[in-house]
């Protein structure tokens, strides 16, 4: 029988995890939880998901036209794994609920490492999550960094990473955040916490980061500079990246994040998503013994296949990380 998955918090990340789980043959969605009967709740209902809600809002859901299947507690009682995709900081409050129900739980990058005690990236530390009750899938930026740093470290030994993160200031559906016309160093005090979050997955990596917010909703862009222990050439790095299962080498006249998002739509990806790191092939350069390159990260979707792999590791449906990655990728069309 399939592993039963519940999604608590059906927003940007939650709705994508629900659809990705549905595409797998070894797991299924038994319900999703929304706090309000908005358009996303109606779409979930129309897609055939059982829509659950907060205990005191079940009647509101019903009167709005969604025959709610019950409360979040009811949903959790039915699940083997809950994927908590509530806004950063809220998920922490749900831990007691999951412990009480004896259900496994996955949190997202907005929560602290200590909450789960295991921060996850499928390529870098799949085995660490085997059989675990609690796992945190790291943020979109940390996921993107792990995917390039881990193989470089395995192959050449990473001595030091320096990265500047140019961050989208809001998701496309977000009308509350900004700026809409400024460049914001964030944080101003350096280094930023973003890069060092990689250490929650690969503890020995030496990494420093700076970050700025830009008036765009289309992807994050990283400028990386990496020193390695062993000698390697530009061609070596390009070849290493090209064979990674979740890195896409970008060329063909693509010169911006806007064109990458257009590519995702042209490829017929659900919601135009780009699940892979997008590394500009022509940017990959060894210069005076150090590596430089640009990569773009689709914040709304790069963590989605990682959540699927985390479910598989925690429930031990598959013990081999590379096999899980291949299975997830094939089912999603990645
Ligand atoms: P979101 O705001 O788009 O969605 C959160 C959903 O949870 C909303 O539908 C909200 O109504 C619902 N919710 C709020 N309180 C709830 C509660 N108590 N119980 C059940 N549902 C509740 O947020 P998001 O962007 O999907 O982020 C979710 C998590 O994923 C955060 O930890 C975030 O840091 C992380 N993350 C976000 C991105 C991104 O770029 N959007 C990327 C990677 C990781």
């Amino acid at each position: 029988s399939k592993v039963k998955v519940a999604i608590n918090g059906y927003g940007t990340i939650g709705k994508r995890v629900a659809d990705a789980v549905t595409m797998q043959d070894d797991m299924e969605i038994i319900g999703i939880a929304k706090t309000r009967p908005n358009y996303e709740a109606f779409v979930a209902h129309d897609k055939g998901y059982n829509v659950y809600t907060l205990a005191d809002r079940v009647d509101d859901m019903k009167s709005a036209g969604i025959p709610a299947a019950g409360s979040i507690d009811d949903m959790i009682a039915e699940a083997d794994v809950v994927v908590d995709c509530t806004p950063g900081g809220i998920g922490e409050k749900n831990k007691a609920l999951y412990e009480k129900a004896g259900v496994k739980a996955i949190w997202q990058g907005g929560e602290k490492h200590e909450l789960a005690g295991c921060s996850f990236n499928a390529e870098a530390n799949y085995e660490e999550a085997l059989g675990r009750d609690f796992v945190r899938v790291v943020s979109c930026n940390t996921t993107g960094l792990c995917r390039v740093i881990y193989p470089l470290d395995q192959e050449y030994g990473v001595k030091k990473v320096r990265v500047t993160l140019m961050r989208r200031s809001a998701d496309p559906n977000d009308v509350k955040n900004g700026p809409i016309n400024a460049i914001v160093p964030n944080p101003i005090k350096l280094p930023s916490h973003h890069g060092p979050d990689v250490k929650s997955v690969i503890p020995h990596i030496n990494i420093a980061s700076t970050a700025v917010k830009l008036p765009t909703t289309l992807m994050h862009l990283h400028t990386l500079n990496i020193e390695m222990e062993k000698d390697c050439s530009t061609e070596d790095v390009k070849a290493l990246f090209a064979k990674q299962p979740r890195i896409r080498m970008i060329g063909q006249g693509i010169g911006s994040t806007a064109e990458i998002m257009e590519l995702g739509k042209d490829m017929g990806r659900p919601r135009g998503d780009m699940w892979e790191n997008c590394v500009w092939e022509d940017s990959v350069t060894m210069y005076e013994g150090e590596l430089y390159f640009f990569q773009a990260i689709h914040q709304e979707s790069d963590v989605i296949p990682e959540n699927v792999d985390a479910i598989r590791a925690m429930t031990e449906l598959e013990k081999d990380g590379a096999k899980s990655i291949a299975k997830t990728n094939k089912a999603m069309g990645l």
Side-chain angles (χ1 to χ4, degrees):
S1 71
K2 296 181 180 182
V3 164
K4 295 180 167 59
V5 180
I7 307 290
N8 194 12
Y10 190 78
T12 303
I13 301 299
K15 60 188 168 188
R16 286 175 168 81
V17 175
D19 292 353
V21 166
T22 300
M23 294 170 105
Q24 312 299 315
D25 64 12
D26 52 354
M27 52 187 82
E28 62 183 334
I29 295 294
I30 57 105
I32 67 101
K34 277 285 313 159
T35 45
R36 285 169 297 123
N38 73 351
Y39 69 97
E40 290 166 312
F42 280 93
V43 172
H45 175 62
D46 290 344
K47 282 189 174 198
Y49 295 130
N50 293 324
V51 179
Y52 293 81
T53 192
L54 301 171
D56 58 356
R57 297 197 191 169
V58 176
D59 289 340
D60 294 353
M61 277 281 178
K62 281 187 182 152
S63 53
I66 296 174
S71 69
I72 292 177
D73 295 78
D74 295 339
M75 177 180 80
I76 291 166
E78 297 289 318
D80 299 317
V81 184
V82 180
V83 185
D84 190 305
C85 304
T86 57
I90 304 276
E92 187 180 347
K93 299 182 186 125
N94 294 329
K95 187 173 185 177
L97 208 66
Y98 305 145
E99 278 174 332
K100 202 173 128 210
V103 67
K104 291 178 186 280
I106 297 174
W107 286 277
Q108 307 303 313
E111 307 299 331
K112 293 192 179 73
H113 167 79
E114 290 70 28
L115 180 65
C118 171
S119 289
F120 180 86
N121 171 258
E123 267 110 302
N125 69 344
Y126 185 92
E127 289 70 22
E128 202 184 314
L130 284 174
R132 280 192 68 95
D133 287 338
F134 297 134
V135 165
R136 161 187 179 251
V137 170
V138 290
S139 75
C140 46
N141 280 311
T142 308
T143 296
L145 289 170
C146 287
R147 284 179 182 166
V148 289
I149 293 168
Y150 180 75
L152 285 170
D153 190 48
Q154 291 291 103
E155 202 73 18
Y156 304 111
V158 164
K159 201 192 283 181
K160 167 113 198 176
V161 180
R162 297 175 186 84
V163 56
T164 299
L165 300 101
M166 285 160 273
R167 297 165 59 210
R168 64 90 180 98
S169 53
D171 285 340
N173 69 347
D174 179 355
V175 294
K176 290 186 194 138
N177 287 300
I180 59 170
N181 189 18
I183 298 172
V184 183
N186 177 252
I188 290 175
K189 265 179 82 86
L190 295 176
S192 81
H193 74 275
H194 300 92
D197 192 40
V198 168
K199 290 165 173 287
S200 70
V201 180
I202 325 170
H204 68 269
I205 295 295
N206 181 355
I207 178 167
S209 64
T210 65
V212 300
K213 288 204 288 186
L214 299 177
T216 179
T217 63
L218 307 178
M219 312 185 80
H220 302 297
L221 194 141
H222 298 169
T223 305
L224 284 117
N225 165 220
I226 304 181
E227 285 178 59
M228 287 170 295
E229 305 283 352
K230 294 187 201 148
D231 282 345
C232 63
S233 69
T234 297
E235 291 314 312
D236 291 336
V237 176
K238 285 184 185 178
L240 179 69
F241 284 171
K243 66 178 195 214
Q244 301 307 311
R246 291 178 184 158
I247 295 179
R248 172 178 292 272
M249 301 308 276
I250 290 286
Q252 301 176 335
I254 292 178
S256 69
T257 57
E259 289 151 293
I260 295 176
M261 290 285 84
E262 189 70 7
L263 172 66
K265 290 185 231 173
D266 288 349
M267 288 169 73
R269 287 283 180 84
R271 300 182 175 88
D273 284 349
M274 189 54 76
W275 299 301
E276 311 93 313
N277 287 22
C278 294
V279 174
W280 268 278
E281 177 151 19
D282 286 347
S283 75
V284 176
T285 308
M286 289 300 299
Y287 179 76
E288 298 196 346
E290 296 180 15
L291 173 64
Y292 292 84
F293 64 96
F294 287 127
Q295 67 173 356
I297 300 297
H298 187 216
Q299 77 280 357
E300 298 168 277
S301 72
D302 74 327
V303 301
I304 306 309
E306 306 294 331
N307 274 273
V308 172
D309 292 324
I311 294 167
R312 222 175 255 124
M314 294 164 74
T315 55
E316 297 184 275
L317 280 170
E318 175 59 66
K319 300 228 170 150
D320 181 333
K323 283 192 187 150
S324 177
I325 290 169
K327 186 172 170 69
T328 303
N329 282 6
K330 187 161 179 243
M332 291 176 73
L334 193 153

